[in-house]
Amino acid sequence: MGIQYFYNFRINEIDDTDLNSDILSAVRKSYFSDFQRIRDKITYDSEGVSLLYDYCIERDRPLQWSVKQPNGTVVQEVMPSDGGKYYICFYHEDQLFKRLLFSKFHTLLKAEYMDENGAVSRSIEPRRIQGGLCLLYKDNAQPEPVALYAAPEVLEKPVREELSASFTDYTAVASTNDGVVWFLSDAQLSHYREFVDLVRNGLAQTIDKSYVDDNAPLYEKINVKDFNIKRNLSASLDIADAKPFAAPAVPKEPIEDIDLKGNSFNEEPDTADFDDFRTEKPTEDQPEKGAEPDKQIMADGAVYSYYGELDDHDNRSGYGRTVTDLGRTAYEGTYYNDKRTGKGAYYYMDGTLCYSGDWSENVRHGVGVGISAKDGSMHIGKWVNNKPEGNGVRVAADGSVKFVCKELSDGSTALMNYLDNDTVVITNYDKNGNRLSEKIISLTNE
């Protein structure tokens, strides 16, 4: 998903806040999940001290936030700023130690740390640069600000554990919608990558042990959610429950919302097929602009036109194409009894291909190619009930192979995960998706 919201910051050298158990982060994460009002009073034990939290966060209202010790000493409180902005102030031994600046929409703008005189000595704030995200770190002891970048994700559990235990050369930490993330300078990033490579190379020579305690399902590991059409409804089309459309074009009565169902795909077409699907110029199978459709349907408040074969009950059956009012293809392929069944190609709302392959009653079922709306990666292989399952290959948008999944004759599955440093993690799962064993192989040393 990537980082969209920051919940809290800390500078590594001077702040020991545990962002994994931070109440402020938890409350803000809950609010940004659905933007619903949150009001509560709780008591939380922190380092042997009971703290009373009293807070309320809601749209278009200033944040209410107060944290006190049992004796009434204020530990955290809200202070207003200009333009509807506000600070949350953090106190240590009755002295202002840190403050977080928020917009009137509750987005985190900056973290500032104070010296013994109450002046700002260090600060960090999010910045967008060349389409990417960084934190701008300022330290009065340094002549220039420094850009900090998020630490690259490490997929292997043993490597992550070693990093967490041993690597300390990072400047700041942020709790985000993407979890707790380290931020490092260019020099620290170089050190980080060297450290990761050393750990991987060492583990490649020694790791060959069971991880039977990790019972997470196999397909949770391969990011099935990336290819969940329902998860990306804002970018996709689904006319699974399309209804026949009848005049008048603007109905007198409100149209009931259509309940969206799951979708499916078709086997990989050749390059020519892809090109035909992307063009809007008429072909023998594509109607001229203004041509009378064989059927009009309404779904989700929009009118779609269908050009193709119909059965005796006026249902889409056989080969056809359903297009939007802008002339973009929603689906082209075979239907049966008004449902996508057989082989066909399905498109996102912007006209880009979503899936091409086998379908069964409007769900992807069989062999097909899915393209993620999230990152442009492709999954080529077997699909079951709308999800990648069994034999398959995941390819990143740049063409690099991310993993190969192979079903073995005994019912188990081998997952070969290709990392960016020419290392492969081979994991074996039983038929229920539980991890049996894992080992890491360096391709450069083979």
Side-chain angles (χ1 to χ4, degrees):
M1 180 169 62
I3 296 175
Q4 294 177 306
Y5 299 107
F6 289 96
Y7 304 139
N8 200 350
F9 292 126
R10 74 172 175 86
I11 293 177
N12 188 38
E13 293 180 356
I14 58 175
D15 187 354
D16 60 1
T17 302
D18 182 3
L19 296 185
N20 288 291
S21 59
D22 177 45
I23 300 297
L24 176 62
S25 296
V27 171
R28 287 173 46 73
K29 179 180 180 180
S30 179
Y31 171 76
F32 280 106
S33 67
D34 55 17
F35 295 96
Q36 296 299 308
R37 181 178 185 267
I38 302 174
R39 173 76 177 94
D40 208 351
K41 288 184 179 181
I42 63 172
T43 300
Y44 179 75
D45 290 335
S46 175
E47 298 180 358
V49 178
S50 292
L51 299 176
L52 175 63
Y53 287 77
D54 185 352
Y55 53 83
C56 181
I57 183 170
E58 57 186 317
R59 284 178 180 266
D60 304 321
R61 297 289 298 274
L63 175 75
Q64 299 177 43
W65 185 268
S66 173
V67 183
K68 296 180 180 179
Q69 295 178 349
N71 62 6
T73 300
V74 175
V75 177
Q76 300 173 25
E77 65 178 349
V78 172
M79 297 292 289
S81 183
D82 60 303
K85 299 175 185 177
Y86 62 89
Y87 288 100
I88 294 183
C89 298
F90 298 74
Y91 298 95
H92 180 65
E93 296 181 353
D94 297 328
Q95 185 173 9
L96 180 61
F97 165 68
K98 166 186 173 182
R99 64 184 185 182
L100 301 175
L101 177 63
F102 297 87
S103 75
K104 63 180 181 179
F105 304 108
H106 305 305
T107 53
L108 181 50
L109 303 177
K110 183 188 293 189
E112 297 177 331
Y113 288 82
M114 312 302 172
D115 60 21
E116 61 277 6
N117 299 317
V120 176
S121 61
R122 307 190 196 193
S123 67
I124 47 178
E125 58 183 299
R127 290 290 179 88
R128 290 280 177 187
I129 54 170
Q130 297 179 345
L133 178 69
C134 76
L135 297 181
L136 190 65
Y137 172 63
K138 297 179 181 179
D139 184 344
N140 289 347
Q142 298 177 357
E144 298 291 338
V146 176
L148 306 177
Y149 303 93
E153 183 180 8
V154 173
L155 300 178
E156 313 96 302
K157 181 179 176 181
V159 178
R160 290 201 309 270
E161 290 175 344
E162 184 65 25
L163 273 170
S164 179
S166 305
F167 190 82
T168 59
D169 188 19
Y170 53 93
T171 300
V173 187
S175 56
T176 76
N177 61 289
D178 220 22
V180 175
V181 180
W182 293 350
F183 280 82
L184 308 88
S185 66
D186 283 330
Q188 290 171 330
L189 276 172
S190 178
H191 184 196
Y192 176 91
R193 292 188 177 99
E194 291 173 359
F195 188 94
V196 170
D197 287 342
L198 284 172
V199 173
R200 281 176 176 156
N201 289 335
L203 291 172
Q205 308 301 321
T206 60
I207 287 187
D208 186 9
K209 58 184 179 180
S210 173
Y211 286 96
V212 293
D213 59 318
D214 184 351
N215 292 321
L218 166 62
Y219 296 108
E220 186 176 302
K221 301 288 192 300
I222 61 176
N223 299 322
V224 169
K225 290 181 179 179
D226 288 355
F227 294 87
N228 184 337
I229 292 179
K230 285 187 177 181
R231 184 170 179 259
N232 295 296
L233 283 180
S234 62
S236 65
L237 295 164
D238 188 357
I239 51 176
D241 279 347
K243 307 294 184 183
F245 178 71
V250 180
K252 295 179 181 179
E253 299 294 331
I255 297 173
E256 182 179 350
D257 288 340
I258 305 297
D259 179 29
L260 299 182
K261 304 290 186 182
N263 307 305
S264 337
F265 303 146
N266 166 12
E267 77 178 2
E268 181 180 7
D270 59 27
T271 304
D273 289 334
F274 272 102
D275 290 340
D276 288 344
F277 291 160
R278 291 182 181 278
T279 60
E280 294 191 11
K281 62 182 181 181
T283 66
E284 291 183 2
D285 296 321
Q286 186 175 357
E288 295 278 356
K289 285 188 176 180
E292 189 70 21
D294 295 289
K295 182 177 181 178
Q296 281 192 308
I297 53 180
M298 174 162 282
D300 222 22
V303 179
Y304 295 81
S305 297
Y306 172 75
Y307 302 87
E309 299 173 274
L310 300 170
D311 62 17
D312 294 339
H313 301 286
D314 204 35
N315 291 324
R316 293 169 292 178
S317 289
Y319 188 85
R321 180 193 298 255
T322 300
V323 301
T324 71
D325 56 356
L326 297 177
R328 289 177 176 167
T329 300
Y331 172 83
E332 180 175 9
T334 56
Y335 292 85
Y336 178 73
N337 198 25
D338 231 22
K339 294 183 178 179
R340 295 186 293 276
T341 300
K343 296 188 181 294
Y346 182 81
Y347 295 81
Y348 290 115
M349 194 173 294
D350 63 2
T352 57
L353 184 66
C354 173
Y355 172 90
S356 180
D358 293 327
W359 296 79
S360 176
E361 296 189 344
N362 281 336
V363 298
R364 296 165 286 186
H365 194 89
V367 177
V369 180
I371 300 177
S372 171
K374 176 184 175 183
D375 58 14
S377 62
M378 293 186 293
H379 187 89
I380 305 118
K382 181 181 175 184
W383 296 70
V384 176
N385 196 27
N386 230 15
K387 298 183 293 185
E389 186 170 316
N391 294 327
V393 178
R394 185 70 54 84
V395 180
D398 63 2
S400 59
V401 176
K402 303 306 291 183
F403 69 74
V404 176
C405 191
K406 173 66 176 174
E407 292 179 322
L408 306 179
S409 58
D410 62 359
S412 65
T413 303
L415 182 67
M416 290 150 280
N417 195 345
Y418 290 77
L419 307 179
D420 293 337
N421 66 336
D422 294 327
T423 299
V424 180
V425 180
I426 302 177
T427 312
N428 186 243
Y429 297 85
D430 66 18
K431 60 184 179 181
N432 296 318
N434 300 317
R435 190 190 316 215
L436 297 175
S437 64
E438 179 176 276
K439 63 181 176 180
I440 303 175
I441 297 175
S442 174
L443 298 178
T444 57
N445 296 330
E446 291 298 304

